[in-house]
Amino acid sequence: MAESSETLLETPLASLHSELGGRMVPFAGYSMPVQYAAGIMQEHLHCRAAASLFDVSHMGQAELVGEGAAAALERVTPADVQALKPGRQRYGLLMTEAGGILDDFMVANLGDRLFLVVNASRKHVDLPYIQAALPAGVTLKPLPDRALVALQGPQAVAAIATLAPGIADLTFMGIGSFEIAGVKALVSRSGYTGEDGVEMSVPAEQAERFARALLALPGVQPAGLGARDSLRLEAGLCLYGNDIDETTSPVEAALTWSIGKRRRTEWNFPGAGRVREELANGAKRLRVGIKPEGRQPARGHTPIHAPGGAAIGEITSGGFGPTLNGPMAMGYVAPEHAADGTALDLMVRGKALAARVAPTPFVPHRYAR
Amino acid sequence: MSETKFTKDHEWVRLEGGVATVGITDHAQNALGDVVFVDLPDVGRTVAAGEAIAVVESVKAASDVYAPIAGKIVEVNAGLADNPGTINSAPTTDGWFFRIEPADAAEVAALMDEAAYAAFVDTLA
């Protein structure tokens, strides 16, 4: 471990994790539960069957306020922030000048301000980067005193709607404020599992009470980062630092859908030159889903070869999908090997493991659109 | 019934009729979590003590399994291919990994006994 336990930060739910038997591991500078007593497999399957509670308080939350906040944010992202209606949230990318991905993030229009959620491992990079791009009159306000929890699964919204019925009226990527178990929560109908569900920002000092109220709802069980990772990979969603980073472009990462249509006529975001060039002439590599044949998983950094041939790429995330009931991965390959069904060799411990390019998600999304 | 011996890599070893059966301990399976795949050595392979010769894959990660003693692989647990979960449910019985014909049976005797292994695990907590 690179970091000693003394230097790790804790979320406001640290004592609850301990009480629930959470197995704590270092993640992005925080001590986080990788799993509880049930184990990753059961926690994963429970989320697909009922509802699971995740502590994601390590993520960075912030507000952007002031006249022209949306236009200001567009100085660092190709997302169409100005078209985002009040009560709606959107996925976006923060871009480097060189056309790499600085981070991926969520932005919501709360009417009088924008609400941002960025990755834990990147918040110390992102927030100064956004700050530096702001004109006078627009202010970035980090929200370190707020916790973030996700309730995910086909029963998640029905369960929480017993405490706040209005949540059931949100559609996918809708956001609003609700009072839940006496706690004022900012609730968005979104998540990182491919399931229906909500992500909720609450004051840190009320987070434990809030989480206990959710765990008391029928069908709700806690789930750790291990299940979060296998769920998001089945859903085909990128993990920053694995699947996308400052070297990958939105075109390579197959995330061009997050670039607003208007932004593709203006080309006024960082790295627009590279994106434009790759859209016109093709990228040198593409992110694809990959299904190994058989049962053996291929993990991140596994070399990808053409069958019996040369290296053509690398796995960036790989594991076993409990719902898929088989191994799955994503990675980058040269464009001529990126079509669905293309045969690949994954070089696992020096031996070729046969695999094919496969469409993602591996498990269909079940969002409330 | 032969005495079960243990290694610091959390394997158990049971010598019966001149052949050592090897698996991973309950502590190890609990730390790994749900096992989804096992890569076992070829029968007939000669292995050195401490050599990584098998891989156990959980949902989360891949981990090496080491030869606890030098010798020759004479059998592997073919049932694990279809039922890798046996390693979680019965780690010290049906979840065995492979059998080794020891180069030197004294190597088995020199491994930790159950009390010594339990004390070793306690130092890891």
Side-chain angles (χ1 to χ4, degrees), chain B residues 18-20 22 47 53 67-74 98-102:
Chain B
V19 173
V22 180
V47 299
I53 59 168
I69 54 171
K72 189 171 82 171
I73 303 294
V74 293
F98 47 80
R99 295 199 163 110
I100 298 184
E101 195 176 272

Side-chain angles (χ1 to χ4, degrees), chain A residues 30 57-65 72-73 75-76 93-95 102-107 114-135 138-146 246:
Chain A
Y30 285 79
S57 301
H58 56 313
M59 299 189 79
Q61 303 179 59
E63 287 178 349
L64 205 53
V65 294
L73 189 60
R75 295 179 175 189
V76 290
L93 302 173
L94 295 174
M95 298 283 296
L102 191 79
D103 198 6
D104 60 348
F105 74 114
M106 288 289 207
V107 53
L114 298 176
F115 174 67
L116 310 179
V117 178
V118 303
N119 281 300
S121 61
R122 301 297 286 174
K123 58 187 172 187
H124 305 295
V125 176
D126 297 343
L127 297 185
Y129 188 74
I130 296 168
Q131 178 68 50
L134 299 181
V138 179
T139 310
L140 181 68
K141 187 178 154 202
L143 300 169
D145 297 328
R146 292 187 75 84
E246 289 191 34

Side-chain angles (χ1 to χ4, degrees), chain A residues 50-51 151-170 187-190 195-198 217 220 368:
Chain A
L151 188 68
Q152 300 281 299
Q155 296 174 15
V157 168
I160 198 157
T162 62
L163 301 177
I167 291 175
D169 296 330
L170 292 175
V187 180
S188 67
R189 196 157 188 175
S190 56
E195 295 297 325
D196 188 14
V198 288
L217 295 170
V220 177

Side-chain angles (χ1 to χ4, degrees), chain A residues 23 34-35 38-42 225-226 229-230 295-297 299 319-320 322 348-349 351, chain B residues 30-37 39-40 55-62 64 81-82 84:
Chain A
R23 187 177 292 174
V34 67
Q35 63 166 83
I40 295 172
M41 184 86 82
Q42 284 311 310
L225 290 184
D229 191 51
S230 54
R295 305 281 293 174
Q296 181 172 10
R299 310 286 175 176
F320 189 88
V348 179
R349 295 181 286 276
K351 282 188 278 187
Chain B
N30 185 52
L32 286 172
D34 306 288
V35 176
V36 297
F37 181 82
D39 195 8
L40 294 170
V55 176
V56 56
E57 300 256 9
S58 68
V59 175
K60 186 76 187 152
D64 286 321
D82 289 332

Side-chain angles (χ1 to χ4, degrees), chain A residues 34 67 113 164 174 191 194 221 234 257 273 287 312 318 341 344 348-349:
Chain A
V34 67
E67 189 77 27
R113 63 199 192 279
Q221 293 289 329
E234 281 187 344
W257 58 269
R287 183 177 63 89
I312 52 163
L344 305 172
V348 179
R349 295 181 286 276

Side-chain angles (χ1 to χ4, degrees), chain A residues 74-86:
Chain A
E74 287 188 356
R75 295 179 175 189
V76 290
T77 178
D80 190 340
V81 184
Q82 296 187 67
L84 190 61
K85 293 186 172 68

Side-chain angles (χ1 to χ4, degrees), chain A residues 165-348:
Chain A
I167 291 175
D169 296 330
L170 292 175
T171 58
F172 182 61
M173 291 292 201
I175 189 166
S177 288
F178 297 87
E179 181 147 327
I180 303 167
V183 178
K184 198 178 168 206
L186 182 60
V187 180
S188 67
R189 196 157 188 175
S190 56
Y192 194 45
T193 61
E195 295 297 325
D196 188 14
V198 288
E199 295 172 296
M200 297 166 285
S201 171
V202 297
E205 68 273 15
Q206 295 174 296
E208 185 176 325
R209 176 156 69 94
F210 182 72
R212 285 183 192 279
L214 299 180
L215 287 168
L217 295 170
V220 177
Q221 293 289 329
L225 290 184
R228 183 171 158 83
D229 191 51
S230 54
L231 288 158
R232 70 93 192 168
L233 186 50
E234 281 187 344
L237 302 173
C238 290
L239 173 62
Y240 193 89
N242 282 35
D243 309 305
I244 49 176
D245 59 30
E246 289 191 34
T247 72
T248 57
S249 76
V251 181
E252 292 176 338
L255 296 172
T256 46
W257 58 269
S258 73
I259 302 175
K261 201 172 169 186
R262 170 176 55 84
R263 308 304 306 279
R264 286 190 223 191
T265 62
E266 298 170 346
W267 302 110
N268 59 353
F269 52 86
R274 178 175 173 186
V275 170
R276 194 172 187 178
E277 198 278 326
E278 289 181 355
L279 283 174
N281 301 317
K284 291 187 180 65
R285 55 181 179 168
L286 290 170
R287 183 177 63 89
V288 294
I290 296 165
K291 263 192 188 173
E293 289 172 12
R295 305 281 293 174
Q296 181 172 10
R299 310 286 175 176
H301 305 297
T302 298
I304 304 172
H305 287 211
I312 52 163
E314 188 178 87
I315 301 280
T316 51
S317 287
F320 189 88
T323 303
L324 185 66
N325 192 26
M328 59 182 172
M330 60 171 81
Y332 286 83
V333 295
E336 59 270 30
H337 298 277
D340 287 345
T342 304
L344 305 172
D345 276 351
L346 310 180
M347 303 309 288
V348 179

